[in-house]
Amino acid sequence: MSKKRPVAVALAGALCLVTTACADATDATGTTGAAGEASAAAAKSGYPVTLDNCGAPQKFTEAPGRVVVMNGASVAEVSTLLALGLGDSIVANQQSYGMSEVEGRAKAIKGLPDGGVKLNDAYDVPREAMIGLRPDLVLSTTSYGFDEKNGFATREQLKDVGAHTYVSPQGCDQDTSKMTIADSYTLLRDMGRVFDRSGRAERLIAASEKNIAGVAAEVKGEKRPKVMVLFSNMAMGGNDFSSVVAKGIYNDILAKAGGSNAFESASRTSFADLSKEKVAATDVDALVVIGYNDPNPAAYARKLLKEFPQWPAAKKNTYVALSDSMYLGPSNDLAVAKIARMLHPDRF
């Protein structure tokens, strides 16, 4: 089964997500009747919660209990739910990288139900199957997952059957080139509000921010090596190197780790489609290879270093293999720490 289609779809991502969450105030009249007591209970639990998600307001009066997580070549959404302790709410999950920097996460994801769905050509849940799952919340990495012409149920169709929908940060127009670590926090915070787990979400965010700040402080003032970031054994274009990262959350992670992207100017979009000659002519100080359902991305990294022995990275054998921590999700601090230790070992 080719990996080209879903990755090209989802890792090409999106730009303008504005999310706000609010809890209605208790009964303004101050009455102590049933209505007033109900309002007070709702306020205490955090409901109702309203998200303005890509221009489609979503009002939640209780925590969803039948969640469908669409593929989108991502694990951001399912990992966020698991980090918040919400695995039992998932009735169908289509996301998997097959590996994770977080111990036990890949196994937990593998153990989630898939809904018994026959996937479409985009390796995702088609319209009729989605309706048949009777979801009350559907999560999609980008708006692609709700596009009727792609064979998916639209947000309006899902609303008609009582399902809320959510497009992740930067997913509205499918351009992830401006995504940052802050978008991972937005996803956590939004899901915390939707499921009444805001306290847990804020603790996770605070811990991540503290970890990243600690690493950034250690590498402050150090020379920033040029890093090549790419997906292992992945074809997304016509050239030899078509899964090379140019822009997006990866660059924010590199910057926090004391590095820079060697190919940031190679494309205006998230990914560059490069010839072998272009790659060979670029000084690469270090490699970050991202494994997407690849059991051995480190082997791919070693192969590249042999292919380009002129790179400083090859001469010093400087590489790290990562997976879900390098993309949108709750574990970006792990990627920052691992990359920083690779680039600046003397600082740790």
Side-chain angles (χ1 to χ4, degrees):
M1 182 170 63
S2 171
K3 298 175 188 173
K4 181 175 178 180
R5 175 67 174 172
V7 171
V9 164
L11 298 183
L15 170 63
C16 70
L17 177 66
V18 179
T19 53
T20 57
C22 58
D24 290 352
T26 54
D27 187 3
T29 65
T31 59
T32 58
E37 290 175 2
S39 293
K44 185 177 181 180
S45 68
Y47 296 107
V49 168
T50 301
L51 301 181
D52 182 10
N53 184 242
C54 300
Q58 305 290 311
K59 186 174 181 178
F60 298 84
T61 57
E62 62 182 356
R66 295 187 59 82
V67 183
V68 175
V69 184
M70 299 189 73
N71 180 356
S74 173
V75 286
E77 294 74 25
V78 70
S79 295
T80 295
L81 294 182
L82 290 176
L84 292 171
L86 297 167
D88 289 345
S89 300
I90 300 171
V91 296
N93 169 60
Q94 300 302 331
Q95 294 185 348
S96 173
Y97 273 9
M99 59 195 301
S100 173
E101 275 71 74
V102 178
E103 186 176 356
R105 179 177 289 163
K107 183 178 179 180
I109 291 174
K110 187 177 181 180
L112 291 171
D114 63 9
V117 174
K118 182 179 179 181
L119 303 181
N120 61 15
D121 290 342
Y123 309 111
D124 221 327
V125 185
R127 181 188 304 107
E128 293 305 318
M130 178 66 78
I131 300 301
L133 288 168
R134 297 181 293 107
D136 55 9
L137 174 61
V138 179
L139 303 181
S140 179
T141 302
T142 73
S143 57
Y144 178 93
F146 298 122
D147 194 328
E148 190 169 26
K149 72 175 182 288
N150 299 326
F152 299 124
T154 67
R155 302 189 78 172
E156 194 63 35
Q157 288 167 345
L158 287 165
K159 181 180 179 181
D160 288 343
V161 296
H164 295 92
T165 50
Y166 180 87
V167 176
S168 287
Q170 305 295 347
C172 296
D173 61 3
Q174 303 184 55
D175 175 14
T176 56
S177 63
K178 292 181 174 62
M179 185 182 285
T180 68
I181 294 170
D183 292 309
S184 292
Y185 298 152
T186 296
L187 177 57
L188 260 173
R189 191 166 279 130
D190 283 350
M191 291 301 101
R193 290 165 173 164
V194 167
F195 288 91
D196 198 20
R197 298 286 178 95
S198 288
R200 186 163 179 170
E202 294 304 327
R203 287 191 294 273
L204 289 169
I205 292 168
S208 175
E209 289 176 331
K210 181 180 179 180
N211 292 341
I212 290 174
V215 171
E218 287 296 326
V219 301
K220 186 177 181 180
E222 295 289 313
K223 182 180 178 181
R224 294 182 172 272
K226 296 179 180 179
V227 184
M228 180 183 191
V229 182
L230 76 167
F231 283 76
S232 59
N233 297 305
M234 185 69 66
M236 292 166 56
N239 284 297
D240 291 331
F241 293 89
S242 58
S243 64
V244 177
V245 169
K247 293 176 173 61
I249 194 171
Y250 320 93
N251 291 1
D252 192 16
I253 291 170
L254 288 178
K256 299 291 194 302
S260 62
N261 189 338
F263 296 95
E264 183 173 3
S265 61
S267 174
R268 294 181 180 179
T269 59
S270 296
F271 291 90
D273 185 10
L274 305 176
S275 66
K276 184 176 180 179
E277 290 74 22
K278 169 67 175 176
V279 171
T282 304
D283 283 333
V284 174
D285 297 314
L287 275 181
V288 173
V289 174
I290 306 171
Y292 173 82
N293 286 318
D294 182 350
N296 199 350
Y300 180 81
R302 291 190 292 269
K303 185 183 81 170
L304 274 188
L305 295 179
K306 288 182 180 179
E307 189 174 355
F308 300 100
Q310 75 277 15
W311 283 349
K315 295 173 183 177
K316 295 183 178 181
N317 197 36
T318 308
Y319 75 90
V320 66
L322 298 173
S323 57
D324 57 346
S325 66
M326 198 61 184
Y327 191 55
L328 182 74
S331 308
N332 297 147
D333 57 323
L334 299 182
V336 171
K338 287 179 178 291
I339 294 170
R341 284 173 169 78
M342 171 187 67
L343 298 178
H344 306 285
D346 295 340
R347 301 299 300 167
F348 298 93

